[in-house]
Amino acid sequence: MSLRAYGLLLRTRQMTRVCRQAHRTATFALSLPLQQPQSPKTALPQRRLATAAPESSKLDKHEFQAETRQLLDIVARSLYSDHEVFVRELISNASDALEKFRYTALSTTNEGQLAARDRPLEIRITTDKPQMQLIIQDTGIGMTREELVNNLGTIARSGSKQFLEELKQQQQPAQASSNIIGQFGVGFYSAFIVAQRVEVYTRAATPDAVGLCWSTDGSGTYTIREAEEAEHGTKIVLHLKTDCREYADEDRIRTVIKKYSNFVGSPILLNGKQANEIKPLWLMDPQSISKEQHQDFYRFISNSFDSPRFTLHYNADVPLSIHALLYFPEGKPGLFEMSRDGATGVALYTRKVLIQSKTEHLLPKWLRFIKGVVDSEDIPLNLSRELLQNNSLIRKLSSVISSRVIRFLQERAKKQPEEYEAFYRDYGLFLKEGIVTSSDTSEKEEIAKLLRFESSKSPSGRISLDDYYKEVSADQKDIYYLAAPNRILAESSPYYESLKKRNELVLFCYEPYDELVLMQLAQYKNKKLVSVEKEMRNQSQDPAALQDFGEGSLSSTEVDSLLPWLQSQLKGQVAKVKATTRLDTHPCVITVEEMAAARHFIRTQSHQLPEENRFALLQPELEINPKHPIIKKLFSLRTSEPELAELIAKQLFANAMVGAGLAEDPRMLLTNMNSLLSKALEKY
């Protein structure tokens, strides 16, 4: 592979993306009624398939049948990845019941149509360790006997979804349904993950409604009886399995509520104390949120103790419904955030219920330092509400949020330059990663507006690419940059000498990956990004520049005799030796086709190759300065002191390789340097 090909590979290669194996879950399109208690003779048969009839016979149709116990086992054991999710599902159902009652109360004008209209709307959770019970109760709409049969006796039938369809038929405003969570009709059956028996006490919201108790052990049958003790709303009593007794512990349930359901709209009382006190700030008016609220919320979602540096509160209805509250940390990134293996810090919610606390692909990896919440009603979820579907929509959501984050940082750079400069010092690496990993050219250029570099004309500060673009003339086709460990070495670099004489503006890149970033960017607006080494190599190929080497230099004849001698002394190391007029204080310099790619190769892969193969790939060219005293003395020494001249030639080449950043190990210089010193001191 040539160095040019290696450079091209670096431009197009995207950094490794961590792929997580997709979690496969069972999905159902069944609406299978749970059978009322039957005699053994009429028990539900095992699942069976219809058999094909002979061609000559009449075609018979048969319905698929399934063993109900097996179906419940699939819902309870295969659909959800974490046991604790059942708490989220049951709280979401309770929240829906409260929202239905709230809507009914607002839309019903007749006071007598609803019982206990002024009752507090809340979710009450009680843990009972001795009895190994968990009780989840709401004061919502409740259910009639028919609704118990339809909603609980039928798997995959969603009462909330039916309610939303009725609102849609009535052409009610979108706000009326914005807080309804359920849609699949299987969340209730998650109770069987932890419960060996479930009892549901309920009383509908109408004045003459009777109390009812629905009960099942999940074996395929259920019972319904009248229960005078049932209050308005619904109470679910879970009789826990022995190995799930942890869910009868108050602290365990509080942890699950905080994780999944902390922002449910109604109060959640756990053993009489409210467990969800933090408000969903992302749904509130940005102007009404105090700095202290932001700080508390940031610490809650990020599990950190610092404060947010910047806050982005973003709401949109087009092209997607998005409510986002994103924080840029004040503290420096930790080792976990520096690693690309870490997940993003943004949690995904839908209708205030947590779907994923660390969501892959919601934001690109280079924005993994951002903490916050994204809530969208348009997010396509699978049946368990744990995995995302429709990758094209998720990519669109990611693109919209990423673009807004970039635009927000651009605004901060203009309105708060000092604060942005501090942010850039800590998190500039992530922005550069975004340029390297993004496949969108326009996005690369937008991120590039956020980059900051020192320049040859700004010793005390940094400038942006926009600043560079505005300062140079419109006729200049290139943006020059120079990679060096620090400013002192940059200003004394042999590659900078010619541009310095011409008073050209040059960006100084001090980080080893900066030149790779600019190489990946390739162009900003209509100007190419060119390293000063490449500019020097291109200029050195101009024959007109080599007609006159200047006063006090070797003559053209002397240069023509010195070049082949150097070529022979450095055989196998240099591809070509030539003279240059672009040096003043340096005797020689090394140029290669793609200097950034060459340095990257030396740092990462050169140790795998023998020295001759390494030079064959790099194809370095040695350019000498005929005016320099060392070069002029070398010309005379090659005949008078050939051994000393040979050592000097090798040392000049080694020095030039170090200056170019292409020496694999600078310690290798010492052997030849000691030999050179010994030879030079022989006469003393």
Side-chain angles (χ1 to χ4, degrees):
M1 180 188 296
S2 68
L3 191 59
R4 181 185 294 274
Y6 184 75
L8 180 62
L9 179 63
L10 285 176
R11 286 194 180 96
T12 57
R13 177 183 296 164
Q14 301 301 317
M15 298 179 71
T16 304
R17 288 184 169 88
V18 178
C19 296
R20 301 179 64 187
Q21 181 181 6
H23 177 66
R24 299 183 180 276
T25 60
T27 57
F28 305 92
L30 296 174
S31 292
L32 180 67
L34 292 173
Q35 303 298 313
Q36 292 281 0
Q38 301 173 356
S39 65
K41 291 182 180 180
T42 60
L44 190 66
Q46 297 289 324
R47 180 175 180 174
R48 66 190 183 202
L49 301 178
T51 57
E55 292 184 7
S56 59
S57 64
K58 183 181 178 181
L59 184 64
D60 293 331
K61 285 188 176 180
H62 298 270
E63 291 185 355
F64 291 106
Q65 298 192 26
E67 210 287 316
T68 309
R69 173 72 190 194
Q70 183 180 3
L71 187 56
L72 282 175
D73 283 346
I74 292 174
V75 173
R77 298 178 184 177
S78 302
L79 195 58
Y80 299 97
S81 59
D82 293 325
H83 285 185
E84 63 187 20
V85 171
F86 83 93
V87 178
R88 179 195 72 182
E89 296 296 296
L90 296 182
I91 289 178
S92 296
N93 287 349
S95 176
D96 283 353
L98 294 172
E99 292 300 328
K100 292 174 191 175
F101 180 83
R102 185 178 286 112
Y103 172 77
T104 304
L106 292 173
S107 59
T108 301
T109 56
N110 190 340
E111 294 286 338
Q113 289 183 358
L114 286 179
R117 180 188 289 263
D118 297 329
R119 63 179 180 264
L121 299 182
E122 58 193 18
I123 301 170
R124 304 165 188 163
I125 300 179
T126 305
T127 57
D128 189 338
K129 271 189 176 181
Q131 298 297 321
M132 286 178 54
Q133 290 182 357
L134 175 65
I135 302 170
I136 300 178
Q137 182 176 5
D138 67 72
T139 57
I141 196 69
M143 287 179 282
T144 63
R145 181 182 293 268
E146 181 182 0
E147 289 170 334
L148 277 176
V149 174
N150 290 337
N151 296 340
L152 301 190
T154 305
I155 300 176
R157 177 190 174 102
S158 171
S160 293
K161 185 175 182 180
Q162 182 181 2
F163 177 74
L164 293 176
E165 290 174 351
E166 291 174 357
L167 291 182
K168 188 175 180 180
Q169 291 174 359
Q170 298 171 15
Q171 297 183 345
Q172 295 295 331
Q175 293 89 331
S177 60
S178 61
N179 292 324
I180 298 297
I181 301 167
Q183 54 181 315
F184 295 117
V186 297
F188 169 77
Y189 305 99
S190 66
F192 290 99
I193 297 174
V194 298
Q196 59 185 352
R197 185 161 59 90
V198 177
E199 294 173 337
V200 179
Y201 294 87
T202 186
R203 187 185 295 270
T206 54
D208 57 348
V210 297
L212 299 169
C213 176
W214 181 97
S215 178
T216 184
D217 60 2
S219 62
T221 65
Y222 64 87
T223 62
I224 298 177
R225 64 175 177 84
E226 292 190 4
E228 288 300 321
E229 68 273 22
E231 301 177 12
H232 286 290
T234 301
K235 179 174 72 173
I236 302 174
V237 181
L238 306 183
H239 299 269
L240 300 172
K241 300 173 185 176
T242 303
D243 58 347
C244 297
R245 66 180 68 190
E246 63 183 286
Y247 295 104
D249 181 77
E250 179 178 342
D251 291 337
R252 181 72 174 95
I253 297 299
R254 180 179 289 106
T255 300
V256 179
I257 293 172
K258 181 179 178 181
K259 180 178 180 181
Y260 292 102
S261 305
N262 200 70
F263 304 110
V264 168
S266 301
I268 301 176
L269 305 180
L270 177 59
N271 293 335
K273 297 180 181 179
Q274 186 165 347
N276 61 332
E277 295 181 344
I278 298 181
K279 297 179 181 179
L281 299 189
W282 66 89
L283 297 177
M284 297 171 58
D285 179 5
Q287 303 300 323
S288 67
I289 305 173
S290 67
K291 183 177 179 180
E292 290 72 22
Q293 283 179 300
H294 274 304
Q295 184 166 310
D296 292 342
F297 186 80
Y298 166 76
R299 291 177 176 177
F300 169 77
I301 61 170
S302 65
N303 291 319
S304 60
F305 298 97
D306 61 336
S307 300
R309 190 193 305 257
F310 300 131
T311 300
L312 170 57
H313 196 158
Y314 172 54
N315 296 300
D317 295 321
V318 177
L320 296 171
S321 171
I322 301 173
H323 302 282
L325 184 54
L326 305 177
Y327 295 104
F328 298 75
E330 185 178 53
K332 294 184 177 182
L335 291 177
F336 181 76
E337 290 171 319
M338 296 297 288
S339 169
R340 281 182 54 81
D341 294 334
T344 57
V346 176
L348 176 64
Y349 284 73
T350 183
R351 301 177 188 269
K352 297 182 288 188
V353 175
L354 177 69
I355 304 302
Q356 290 181 349
S357 58
K358 304 290 183 182
T359 310
E360 289 288 330
H361 311 305
L362 186 58
L363 282 179
K365 279 286 187 180
W366 65 273
L367 289 176
R368 60 188 174 276
F369 62 91
I370 293 178
K371 313 296 181 184
V373 169
V374 172
D375 192 324
S376 176
E377 299 173 12
D378 296 330
I379 296 173
L381 304 174
N382 77 336
L383 198 59
S384 65
R385 296 196 295 179
E386 294 178 327
L387 300 176
L388 308 182
Q389 296 177 328
N390 190 342
N391 289 336
S392 61
L393 193 60
I394 298 303
R395 285 195 296 270
K396 181 64 175 177
L397 180 62
S398 175
S399 176
V400 170
I401 298 174
S402 300
S403 298
R404 186 64 186 92
V405 168
I406 294 170
R407 192 164 71 252
F408 173 79
L409 287 175
Q410 291 172 352
E411 294 167 356
R412 298 283 71 74
K414 292 179 180 178
K415 297 178 181 179
Q416 299 172 271
E418 293 182 2
E419 290 82 352
Y420 177 78
E421 178 66 25
F423 164 79
Y424 185 82
R425 283 196 300 269
D426 294 336
Y427 291 91
L429 173 63
F430 294 91
L431 305 180
K432 295 168 185 176
E433 180 187 322
I435 292 177
V436 173
T437 57
S438 176
S439 57
D440 186 340
T441 304
S442 61
E443 183 180 63
K444 285 176 182 280
E445 190 159 305
E446 288 301 312
I447 301 173
K449 294 178 181 179
L450 300 170
L451 299 182
R452 297 293 184 270
F453 299 100
E454 283 192 21
S455 78
S456 55
K457 298 181 181 180
S458 60
S460 60
R462 304 194 221 201
I463 66 171
S464 67
L465 292 177
D466 269 337
D467 295 332
Y468 188 109
Y469 190 87
K470 294 173 184 176
E471 185 166 338
V472 300
S473 67
D475 297 333
Q476 182 174 321
K477 298 179 180 180
D478 300 326
I479 295 175
Y480 300 119
Y481 63 89
L482 169 62
N486 53 58
R487 188 176 190 89
I488 294 175
L489 291 178
E491 291 179 332
S492 61
S493 169
Y495 304 101
Y496 175 56
E497 281 188 347
S498 175
L499 292 168
K500 185 178 182 180
K501 255 198 292 188
R502 287 152 42 195
N503 198 31
E504 297 279 7
L505 180 59
V506 179
L507 299 176
F508 290 160
C509 306
Y510 300 144
E511 301 296 339
Y513 41 78
D514 281 349
E515 56 183 340
L516 282 177
V517 172
L518 297 179
M519 188 176 72
Q520 287 275 355
L521 184 59
Q523 183 171 310
Y524 184 74
K525 296 185 177 178
N526 61 343
K527 296 185 186 296
K528 292 182 180 179
L529 288 153
V530 178
S531 69
V532 295
E533 298 96 342
K534 191 173 184 67
E535 189 270 346
M536 183 176 190
R537 186 181 178 97
N538 294 339
Q539 290 293 328
S540 297
Q541 294 172 353
D542 182 7
L546 302 178
Q547 297 298 321
D548 182 12
F549 297 119
E551 185 179 351
S553 68
L554 295 175
S555 67
S556 297
T557 304
E558 292 171 329
V559 170
D560 289 341
S561 65
L562 179 60
L563 294 182
W565 180 83
L566 284 170
Q567 184 87 40
S568 65
Q569 295 299 318
L570 301 173
K571 185 177 181 180
Q573 295 178 295
V574 297
K576 187 177 181 181
V577 181
K578 57 186 178 181
T580 181
T581 59
R582 298 172 63 79
L583 293 175
D584 280 332
T585 61
H586 293 79
C588 60
V589 70
I590 287 288
T591 61
V592 297
E593 181 64 30
E594 292 283 358
M595 187 64 79
R599 291 193 186 106
H600 185 268
F601 169 76
I602 291 295
R603 285 195 299 265
T604 60
Q605 300 182 39
S606 67
H607 62 280
Q608 302 173 4
L609 296 176
E611 184 178 84
E612 59 271 16
N613 292 0
R614 186 163 64 249
F615 285 122
L617 175 63
L618 292 175
Q619 292 287 300
E621 294 185 1
L622 179 66
E623 301 188 16
I624 64 170
N625 176 10
K627 295 185 296 182
H628 198 278
I630 294 178
I631 299 299
K632 291 193 290 185
K633 189 65 175 177
L634 179 63
F635 173 76
S636 60
L637 284 175
R638 68 192 179 95
T639 53
S640 61
E641 294 280 352
E643 188 177 347
L644 178 60
E646 180 181 346
L647 291 172
I648 292 174
K650 291 180 179 179
Q651 189 65 45
L652 285 173
F653 174 74
N655 292 351
M657 289 291 286
V658 172
L662 298 178
E664 185 179 27
D665 188 349
R667 290 174 294 184
M668 298 298 292
L669 291 171
L670 298 179
T671 302
N672 187 75
M673 186 181 296
N674 290 334
S675 300
L676 173 61
L677 292 174
S678 298
K679 187 65 178 175
L681 294 173
E682 281 182 356
K683 296 181 180 180
Y684 298 94

